[in-house]
Amino acid sequence: MRITSTSCICPVLVCLCFVQRCYGAAHHGSIKVTRNQTKHVEGETEVHHRPKRGWVWNQFFVLEEHMGPDPQYVGKLHSNSDKGDGSVKYILTGEGAGTIFIIDDTTGDIHSTKSLDREQKTHYVLHAQAIDRRTNKPLEPESEFIIKVQDINDNAPKFTDGPYIVTVPEMSEMGTSVLQVTATDADDPTYGNSARVVYSILQGQPYFSVDPKTGVIRTALHNMDREAREHYSVVIQAKDMAGQVGGLSGSTTVNITLTDVNDNPPRFPQKHYQLYVPESAQVGSAVGKIKANDADTGSNADMKYTIINGDGSGVFSISTDKETREGILSLKKPLNYEKKKSYTLNIEGANTHLDFRFSHLGPFKDVTMLKIIVGDVDEPPLFTMPSYVMEVYENSKIGTAVGTVTAQDPDAANSLVRYFIDHNTEEDRYFTIDASTGTIKTAKIFDREETPWYNITVAASEIDNPELVSHVPVGVRILDVNDNPPELAREYDVVVCENAKPGQVIQTITATDKDYSANGARFHFSLDEGLSLNPNFTLRDNEDNTASILTRRRRYSRTTQDIYYLPVLISDGGVPPLSSSSTLTIRVCACERDGRVRTCHSEAFLSSAGLSTGALIAILLCVVILLAIVVLFITLRRSKKEPLIISEEDVRENVVTYDDEGGGEEDTEAFDITALRNPSAAEELKYRRDVRPEVKPVPRHHPSSSLDSIDVQEFIKQRLAEADLDPSVPPYDSLQTYAYEGHRSEAGSISSLDSATTHSDQDYNYLGDWGPEFKKLAELYGEIESERTT
């Protein structure tokens, strides 16, 4: 199959096309590609001939942006099997086949029907095939070839990042790099000069230049001054075709701003200034402004103002306003026209941020002279002191002189001054002042303990000009006199323990005095001398403004006396001395061995046995429950039927209890046991009075001699058996009481009937160590032992 192309643009392609066409004309205008053929001849063996293959060129070119009226011819396909009789059919498949590229199936001519853009698609891959039109069988293997879109210069260079904004310091050296710009061209960079860009400057000369190959922009002048011109607009052009005629171009704008450097020193517009300041100007106030000009900006224009010399350097000060860069002149001391009428200052303004590259342009500071004229003003009277402090004793009579204030007219006229008190507060009404002399007097009687200090304001004005008023504060201190007696510092709760010893300190008391410490710092304590000697307590003055209360005897009893009263006399050290009497209340309390108070009330004895609050509540609940049971029992008893016969002599209804333990069988004084052995009492018949007995009981007789000799225990057993067998007793349990204690104990009698007559050498102090359960017993026996010892 032969592929023929007529799109020969470059010289090499023209030569190739010329060779191709000449060679194709010699062979029916085509390049043939044959396949192996086998020829059969009768009587001859099969011979294989190597086919002669033509030159294959499998790439076509088509020019982009074709605008002609007819389809653009691309090339021709031809098979060696094509005899020109139309029996061969050419088929084209692949990218764009049938839409962009069409083929004449008889001649094999390929045409492009659309205008192509290389920047969208650079080449197309297609497949060609020749088949027999009659049999539809392929005559050639399928061949692949490429149709390449040939570039033309149809895209201008573009600056994708423009416009640009850039800065460069002023006074930069010539050739300082500013910015590099880059333009892109969508044309084919490998073919011709369509994408070869060259840069040039259209606007911005002679200040800047651009490198034609790299696009680097540089400064083109020395010492470009920002103060002369700050902003520049530079236009850069990029042109393809290496800048030749007919090339396409694009441009961009570069906005260049010169940044400031400190290359300009500050300068005062004038070398001499004059300022008027009235003498009434307040100290610390701003009285004027001055400014030095600096052509620089930002921190390069910052400066500091100072007073370098002059006779007013001690009266005035200068500071710098960072916002306005002005020097603010302030007053340090008050002005007085009568003393000095003018001042001279030398003021310097200097940059604070220096650039040593430009030090040769300096110095970066400037000096000017300022003359200050003091203006005369009619001033109010001036007090001789900024404030006054005066003193007066309390209880002084009304009209007592406190002190004197003095003011003068500072002007040359020296006008007379009138004094008065500003009645702005209530305190100002407690004093009066002489309008001519300025003497202050009291208008009430003062009590230092109520108010120790008064603050008033005295005003002075000129008689000729009452509107000019000056004020001065006056403090009046009220001095103390000894007019308050001392008294106890607080209410004391004094407690003495029952087991206290003589000479024991039970309380330390202090005193206080409303007067000043000079009249009440030393207190003296004593007992009232008008009373008889106190046998229970005494007082000791500790000579340090305190006193101690001491006991004078051993042991105190709450049951005997639970409260004592002790009058105490207290006197101060003032002139004249004052004294007062106070009474201390001393309570008697039960204490632990270490002195801790256990209780001070008799009703609290139960808690001293170690019962807690919870235990007391439990006991109370039990008592309430028992009372409820008793009430219920009485209610049930009353609801029962009363007996037919009620006799007060019925011994079964009466139980008599005697709380006497006795002294055993040997203790005949406590109980007479012969009552059990009384024959008449023993043999007396007792009948039930409410029921008639069916069987009369048999009387029992015992000789008296047998009763005297019988054992008591045996006697009781007999009586118990008789009671169980007696048919006349009630048919319910009854109480049989016999005062029988049993046999004698080997330990002897524990009766306390005669214990008081004997003296024991037993030491009961160990009972105090047995715990709270034995504290009451330890107190009782300890007290008895103490009384015996006494």
Side-chain angles (χ1 to χ4, degrees):
M1 182 173 59
R2 182 182 63 190
I3 303 174
T4 303
S5 175
T6 60
S7 301
C8 303
I9 304 300
C10 63
V12 178
L13 293 178
V14 172
C15 296
L16 291 176
C17 291
F18 178 76
V19 173
Q20 178 187 14
R21 291 182 183 275
C22 294
Y23 186 80
H27 295 81
H28 306 286
S30 64
I31 298 175
K32 298 180 179 178
V33 179
T34 61
R35 52 188 175 84
N36 294 338
Q37 296 179 354
T38 303
K39 184 179 181 181
H40 300 276
V41 180
E42 291 184 5
E44 294 182 0
T45 60
E46 185 177 289
V47 179
H48 294 278
H49 298 277
R50 181 178 180 86
K52 185 177 181 181
R53 185 175 297 273
W55 179 45
V56 177
W57 185 28
N58 62 345
Q59 182 168 289
F60 290 136
F61 289 89
V62 60
L63 200 62
E64 70 168 333
E65 305 293 346
H66 176 70
M67 303 300 293
D70 298 327
Q72 184 181 181
Y73 181 75
V74 178
K76 184 179 182 65
L77 300 179
H78 188 74
S79 175
N80 291 337
S81 301
D82 189 358
K83 304 303 183 179
D85 55 0
S87 60
V88 177
K89 182 180 181 181
Y90 297 96
I91 299 176
L92 186 66
T93 60
E95 295 178 338
T99 57
I100 299 175
F101 303 102
I102 59 174
I103 187 172
D104 189 328
D105 61 354
T106 302
T107 63
D109 293 330
I110 302 174
H111 290 80
S112 174
T113 62
K114 294 182 179 181
S115 177
L116 303 180
D117 188 358
R118 190 201 66 85
E119 285 70 39
Q120 293 184 358
K121 190 171 181 61
T122 59
H123 65 277
Y124 297 85
V125 179
L126 294 98
H127 297 84
Q129 191 175 21
I131 63 172
D132 191 331
R133 194 182 293 272
R134 295 185 298 269
T135 62
N136 287 331
K137 291 183 179 181
L139 300 176
E140 297 278 354
E142 185 177 79
S143 298
E144 181 180 277
F145 65 97
I146 297 174
I147 298 178
K148 194 170 185 181
V149 182
Q150 189 172 351
D151 182 50
I152 64 172
N153 190 16
D154 60 341
N155 289 280
K158 294 182 179 180
F159 293 92
T160 57
D161 297 331
Y164 300 88
I165 298 176
V166 67
T167 60
V168 63
E170 66 171 333
M171 309 300 290
S172 298
E173 296 181 359
M174 186 175 66
T176 302
S177 177
V178 179
L179 175 69
Q180 183 179 14
V181 294
T182 302
T184 59
D185 196 318
D187 291 327
D188 189 358
T190 63
Y191 177 75
N193 295 326
S194 299
R196 186 179 176 185
V197 179
V198 175
Y199 300 96
S200 61
I201 184 168
L202 299 182
Q203 179 182 320
Q205 294 176 334
Y207 307 104
F208 299 95
S209 63
V210 64
D211 190 300
K213 293 182 179 181
T214 62
V216 175
I217 303 173
R218 301 179 186 274
T219 58
L221 291 179
H222 287 286
N223 301 329
M224 297 178 65
D225 192 2
R226 184 200 65 85
E227 287 71 33
R229 183 176 177 182
E230 184 176 4
H231 301 287
Y232 297 85
S233 180
V234 179
V235 179
I236 303 297
Q237 182 189 65
K239 189 174 184 180
D240 59 11
M241 296 299 291
Q244 299 176 5
V245 178
L248 302 179
S249 64
S251 62
T252 186
T253 301
V254 181
N255 295 311
I256 302 175
T257 301
L258 297 183
T259 57
D260 184 64
V261 297
N262 191 9
D263 59 340
N264 293 278
R267 292 289 181 263
F268 285 102
Q270 300 175 207
K271 291 300 181 181
H272 299 276
Y273 290 90
Q274 184 170 305
L275 180 65
Y276 174 83
V277 180
E279 64 174 338
S280 59
Q282 298 295 322
V283 174
S285 62
V287 295
K289 297 180 181 180
I290 192 169
K291 183 177 182 181
N293 297 326
D294 194 325
D296 296 322
T297 60
S299 61
N300 296 318
D302 290 344
M303 65 184 67
K304 182 180 180 182
Y305 297 91
T306 54
I307 299 175
I308 55 176
N309 54 39
D311 57 356
S313 58
V315 180
F316 298 91
S317 64
I318 192 168
S319 60
T320 304
D321 189 332
K322 294 182 179 180
E323 297 295 331
T324 62
R325 297 186 178 92
E326 294 177 328
I328 309 300
L329 196 67
S330 301
L331 187 63
K332 291 173 60 178
K333 295 180 179 179
L335 300 176
N336 192 333
Y337 174 81
E338 288 72 24
K339 292 182 178 180
K340 191 173 180 61
K341 296 179 175 58
S342 66
Y343 296 89
T344 301
L345 301 176
N346 290 327
I347 300 176
E348 178 187 81
N351 283 142
T352 56
H353 302 282
L354 300 179
D355 193 336
F356 295 101
R357 296 178 300 171
F358 310 103
S359 58
H360 62 281
L361 301 176
F364 286 82
K365 59 184 178 180
D366 196 16
V367 179
T368 188
M369 185 176 67
L370 175 63
K371 185 177 182 180
I372 299 175
I373 305 299
V374 180
D376 186 20
V377 178
D378 191 5
E379 301 173 89
L382 182 64
F383 284 95
T384 56
M385 297 179 62
S387 62
Y388 294 85
V389 176
M390 303 176 182
E391 296 178 345
V392 64
Y393 281 98
E394 65 175 333
N395 301 328
S396 297
K397 296 180 180 180
I398 297 176
T400 302
V402 179
T404 302
V405 297
T406 304
Q408 293 180 350
D409 183 10
D411 298 322
N414 195 14
S415 301
L416 296 178
V417 177
R418 184 177 65 89
Y419 303 94
F420 59 93
I421 296 177
D422 280 348
H423 295 290
N424 296 326
T425 62
E426 187 66 25
E427 295 181 354
D428 296 332
R429 304 182 184 276
Y430 297 159
F431 300 91
T432 61
I433 188 170
D434 190 298
S436 301
T437 62
T439 301
I440 300 174
K441 297 181 180 180
T442 61
K444 62 166 288 188
I445 297 177
F446 299 99
D447 185 0
R448 190 202 67 86
E449 288 72 36
E450 180 181 350
T451 306
W453 190 275
Y454 291 89
N455 294 307
I456 62 176
T457 301
V458 176
S461 64
E462 296 181 8
I463 296 178
D464 298 337
N465 190 0
E467 295 181 356
L468 294 177
V469 180
S470 59
H471 300 81
V472 67
V474 178
V476 181
R477 180 187 297 112
I478 307 301
L479 300 179
D480 182 59
V481 296
N482 192 23
D483 58 346
N484 290 280
E487 56 186 11
L488 289 177
R490 59 183 178 86
E491 293 289 336
Y492 289 95
D493 184 14
V494 186
V495 173
V496 60
C497 295
E498 288 184 316
N499 54 359
K501 298 178 181 180
Q504 182 177 349
V505 176
I506 61 175
Q507 182 69 51
T508 299
I509 60 175
T510 60
T512 182
D513 196 327
K514 295 180 180 179
D515 293 323
Y516 187 61
S517 59
N519 291 318
R522 176 68 178 90
F523 299 113
H524 177 71
F525 300 86
S526 63
L527 296 179
D528 194 345
E529 297 179 356
L531 302 176
S532 59
L533 182 64
N534 194 316
N536 300 307
F537 303 97
T538 185
L539 183 142
R540 180 182 65 199
D541 192 342
N542 298 325
E543 297 185 355
D544 59 353
N545 291 335
T546 64
S548 300
I549 308 300
L550 295 85
T551 58
R552 298 196 63 178
R553 67 183 180 89
R554 183 187 301 274
R555 305 194 65 82
Y556 296 84
S557 175
R558 287 175 293 165
T559 58
T560 303
Q561 184 174 352
D562 59 346
I563 294 178
Y564 294 87
Y565 298 99
L566 183 66
V568 177
L569 184 65
I570 309 172
S571 61
D572 58 22
V575 179
L578 298 178
S579 62
S580 66
S581 179
S582 301
T583 301
L584 294 176
T585 301
I586 304 175
R587 298 185 298 143
V588 180
C589 300
C591 303
E592 304 287 351
R593 292 176 63 87
D594 57 0
R596 291 181 299 172
V597 176
R598 188 169 71 246
T599 180
C600 295
H601 304 283
S602 58
E603 61 269 19
F605 288 160
L606 185 58
S607 63
S608 65
L611 294 178
S612 63
T613 304
L616 293 175
I617 294 175
I619 293 174
L620 292 176
L621 290 176
C622 293
V623 171
V624 172
I625 294 173
L626 291 176
L627 290 175
I629 293 174
V630 170
V631 171
L632 180 62
F633 179 75
I634 293 174
T635 304
L636 294 175
R637 290 281 296 175
R638 289 181 177 179
S639 62
K640 290 183 179 181
K641 184 178 181 180
E642 296 294 334
L644 297 176
I645 302 175
I646 300 177
S647 176
E648 296 180 356
E649 298 178 357
D650 192 350
V651 297
R652 293 173 301 177
E653 300 291 338
N654 299 290
V655 178
V656 181
T657 302
Y658 297 92
D659 295 331
D660 193 346
E661 294 182 351
E665 281 75 7
E666 296 180 356
D667 188 5
T668 57
E669 296 179 1
F671 182 77
D672 189 2
I673 199 171
T674 57
L676 297 175
R677 303 178 179 182
N678 189 350
S680 60
E683 297 297 331
E684 182 183 0
L685 297 178
K686 295 180 173 60
Y687 301 101
R688 185 173 178 178
R689 298 179 181 181
D690 57 342
V691 179
R692 177 178 295 179
E694 296 179 357
V695 180
K696 187 175 182 179
V698 180
R700 295 178 293 275
H701 301 279
H702 297 280
S704 60
S705 59
S706 63
L707 292 173
D708 294 335
S709 61
I710 192 171
D711 185 80
V712 176
Q713 183 176 6
E714 185 64 27
F715 171 78
I716 292 175
K717 289 182 178 180
Q718 292 178 5
R719 290 293 183 265
L720 181 60
E722 291 175 0
D724 292 338
L725 299 176
D726 192 354
S728 62
V729 298
Y732 47 80
D733 293 339
S734 60
L735 180 64
Q736 303 291 334
T737 303
Y738 301 97
Y740 176 66
E741 294 184 351
H743 293 288
R744 177 179 179 180
S745 173
E746 296 180 359
S749 175
I750 62 173
S751 174
S752 61
L753 298 178
D754 58 349
S755 60
T757 60
T758 61
H759 297 282
S760 174
D761 296 333
Q762 181 74 27
D763 185 7
Y764 295 101
N765 291 331
Y766 62 88
L767 294 175
D769 301 330
W770 284 15
E773 292 83 358
F774 295 91
K775 285 191 179 294
K776 189 63 180 179
L777 189 61
E779 293 174 0
L780 294 175
Y781 276 86
E783 183 177 1
I784 295 173
E785 183 63 25
S786 176
E787 292 175 355
R788 289 178 180 176
T789 305
T790 303

